[in-house]
Amino acid sequence: MTTTPFPRATARDWLGMAVLVLPALLASMDLSVLFMASPWISADLAPTASQHLWIMDIYGFVMAGLLITMGSIGDRIGRRKLLLIGALAFGAASVIAAHSTSAEILIAARALLGLGGATLAPSTLSLIRGMFQDENQRRTAVGIWTGAFTGGMAVGPIVGGLLLERFGWGSVFLINVPVMVLLLIVAPIIIREQRDSAPGRFDLLGALLSLAAVLPIVYGVKRAAEDGLDGTAIASLAAGIVFAGLFVLRQLNARSPMIDVRLFARPSFSGSIVANLIITFATAGMGLLTMTFIQIVLGYTPFAAALWALPAVGGSIAGVTVASILAPKICPAMLVAAGLLAAAAGFAVVSTVTPDSGVGHLIAAYTVLTLGVGMTATMVTSLVLTTAPPEKAGAASALAETSNELGGALGIAVLGTLAASIYRGTMQHAAVPGLESAAAQAANDTVGAAVAVAEHLPREVAPLLLRQAFDAYSSGFTVAAIAGAAVLAGAAAFTGIALRSVTSQQVAETPTR
């Protein structure tokens, strides 16, 4: 029996793909560029400690909480329409953020940015799902999107550093505006509208339950990372899990569910979501630790550290390319597992880095890591989009993005907390001679605090403190890298089993209409 080949994408579709890459790039840049602008914002707006945390976190909270809802709305009103609404919100919020005169205004603007981001991410992926019906072309398009999204995280600090050297901190937000204007002008001309032809009634209760499930979980994870697993964190996580259960029950019984949770019974869908969460868990958790290591322990400026990270972007692009070339010939289970094992190998080499290692050693290992990430992310995102019914592409894309958000929050919390606890324990058990108790207590908190304390110490004491702090941080860094390698290796075994029955031919023959 022969199958009818799906129509291949036209030049218009590929041009539309180029347009859709822009919001993905900006959405990921917006996550990292704020770290560069944070000192300038603090000096200008003088936020309290609590306000500073909200400035940094509110974007991710709102985005994570609204992804599933916005994906479902896009399936109903039209994914291109939702993309344009999101572009308008993102652009307007960027202008407000750039001209904020108080911390409260900036927090509100960042929340609106999160709303815009929650519409942009699922819209772009779901539109790609409909534009590229041929599986090989779709996988290539998803790979390009993945490369843009991961590359934006590395490019963000570089762009931010260049802008901050010449303009005020508001410029890191204003750079979004011309791109959003271009999107608003070009997208209606090039990109065709897509929507569910029979969406049914919008599930308002399901939307509220999804919000009530995701927000407490993300908050609880971040709270645990900052203050430990205290009562508030436990209560928040428990509430989120309860609401997640209620959300699942609602979707199983709703006449027009936001997402068919029975999709998780399909190995290609559930295995891909888990792999996506794990790869984000490992890379997000180690990403922050790695940049701190390069800047504090190895002594590079933020801008120089960002430049050194560029080869890692090349690794991600190489991984995307490898996955796109090999996917038609090798079964998904082998490719996903190979990508996860490559990332695990990169983590294993990262664990061998010491304060005396050159930055090239770390970046070479991290490039191997990102090669595996590129392979895995391309395959699992493509599998999620292909497995879900085309009329639910928006909600499926939102689930993939939600797993990214949860994986990132978990990674920073778990690996960051693990590294921090080892640092503190090592510092507390090896006192520096001649260091006063108050200074020692401050230095025991973070490696950055140890560097600040050392600046005010006598010349004979400062080098001893710095050496101890750098060794302690390296110990935590090493254990976190080993933990990441172990988690990725376990995920490789899991996905190899979960996806073993999925063949390249089955994926290619999945209907798109």
Side-chain angles (χ1 to χ4, degrees):
M1 179 180 177
T2 59
T3 57
T4 303
F6 295 116
R8 293 178 63 82
T10 64
R12 175 180 174 179
D13 293 320
W14 285 109
L15 188 58
M17 175 69 216
V19 174
L20 293 177
V21 161
L22 294 176
L25 182 67
L26 281 181
S28 61
M29 279 178 56
D30 211 61
L31 292 170
S32 59
V33 74
L34 194 64
F35 289 109
M36 298 289 291
S38 180
W40 281 266
I41 292 173
S42 295
D44 190 19
L45 301 183
T48 64
S50 176
Q51 287 174 331
H52 184 266
L53 287 175
W54 278 111
I55 289 171
M56 302 299 292
D57 291 340
I58 191 71
Y59 176 85
F61 282 162
V62 174
M63 183 175 176
L66 293 177
L67 276 169
I68 295 176
T69 298
M70 291 302 167
S72 180
I73 290 175
D75 290 336
R76 285 165 167 77
I77 69 171
R79 293 152 198 155
R80 187 185 68 180
K81 181 181 291 186
L82 184 68
L83 176 72
L84 297 177
I85 293 172
L88 184 62
F90 205 85
S94 298
V95 174
I96 296 171
H99 295 93
S100 297
T101 56
S102 68
E104 291 83 359
I105 295 176
L106 183 55
I107 291 170
R110 289 277 294 166
L112 185 56
L113 279 169
L115 172 63
T119 65
L120 294 176
S123 296
T124 53
L125 268 180
S126 57
L127 284 167
I128 289 171
R129 169 69 165 87
M131 291 161 59
F132 297 91
Q133 298 182 46
D134 178 82
E135 175 59 23
N136 292 330
Q137 287 190 321
R138 184 190 304 133
R139 192 181 298 108
T140 299
V142 169
I144 294 171
W145 186 94
T146 301
F149 194 84
T150 56
M153 293 292 289
V155 173
I158 298 174
V159 174
L162 290 173
L163 290 173
L164 290 168
E165 285 182 0
R166 293 165 176 78
F167 308 102
W169 60 264
S171 60
V172 302
F173 295 107
L174 288 177
I175 193 175
N176 298 331
V177 176
V179 177
M180 292 299 108
V181 170
L182 178 65
L183 186 63
L184 287 167
I185 295 173
V186 176
I189 301 172
I190 297 177
I191 299 173
R192 300 176 181 88
E193 182 61 280
Q194 301 172 28
R195 61 167 58 88
D196 185 351
S197 58
R201 187 175 180 179
F202 178 67
D203 185 10
L204 179 60
L205 178 57
L208 293 175
L209 286 173
S210 72
L211 187 67
V214 174
L215 283 182
I217 291 176
V218 174
Y219 175 78
V221 169
K222 288 182 177 288
R223 170 86 182 193
E226 293 164 3
D227 302 315
L229 198 61
D230 58 10
T232 302
I234 293 173
S236 183
L237 290 170
I241 291 171
V242 169
F243 281 114
L246 293 174
F247 173 75
V248 170
L249 289 175
R250 172 64 182 176
Q251 297 309 292
L252 287 171
N253 295 286
R255 182 172 298 178
S256 301
M258 298 172 65
I259 182 69
D260 184 2
V261 294
R262 295 178 182 85
L263 283 172
F264 284 96
R266 300 184 184 181
S268 56
F269 190 85
S270 56
S272 297
I273 290 291
V274 170
N276 200 40
L277 187 147
I278 293 297
I279 200 76
T280 311
F281 167 90
T283 52
M286 281 305 295
L288 185 58
L289 295 173
T290 299
M291 292 306 292
T292 301
F293 190 94
I294 295 174
Q295 294 178 50
I296 302 297
V297 178
L298 299 183
Y300 287 87
T301 65
F303 184 66
L307 288 176
W308 270 107
L310 283 179
V313 179
S316 178
I317 294 172
V320 167
T321 304
V322 168
S324 299
I325 293 173
L326 296 181
K329 307 170 185 176
I330 300 177
C331 67
M334 290 185 63
L335 268 181
V336 173
L340 289 167
L341 287 175
F347 268 90
V349 180
V350 167
S351 71
T352 65
V353 173
T354 69
D356 299 320
S357 301
V359 68
H361 180 174
L362 176 56
I363 294 304
Y366 214 80
T367 301
V368 175
L369 187 160
T370 57
L371 184 145
V373 171
M375 288 178 61
T376 304
T378 299
M379 289 301 302
V380 298
T381 305
S382 181
L383 282 171
V384 167
L385 291 178
T386 303
T387 304
E391 64 273 11
K392 298 296 183 183
S397 302
L399 274 176
E401 288 301 311
T402 301
S403 71
N404 279 336
E405 292 293 323
L406 291 177
L410 279 169
I412 292 172
V414 175
L415 297 184
T417 300
L418 178 62
S421 64
I422 292 173
Y423 172 83
R424 295 189 188 103
T426 304
M427 292 292 288
Q428 289 169 359
H429 287 87
V432 175
L435 189 63
E436 296 180 359
S437 60
Q441 186 175 0
N444 290 350
D445 191 26
T446 66
V447 68
V451 172
V453 169
E455 292 176 352
H456 303 285
L457 294 178
R459 292 184 178 179
E460 63 273 14
V461 179
L464 297 175
L465 174 61
L466 289 177
R467 184 67 196 187
Q468 179 181 313
F470 292 166
D471 286 343
Y473 187 84
S474 297
S475 296
F477 186 71
T478 295
V479 173
I482 292 173
V487 169
L488 287 168
F494 168 80
T495 54
I497 295 171
L499 301 177
R500 68 187 184 280
S501 61
V502 181
T503 66
S504 300
Q505 185 66 21
Q506 286 174 329
V507 172
E509 292 177 357
T510 301
T512 61
R513 291 191 184 280

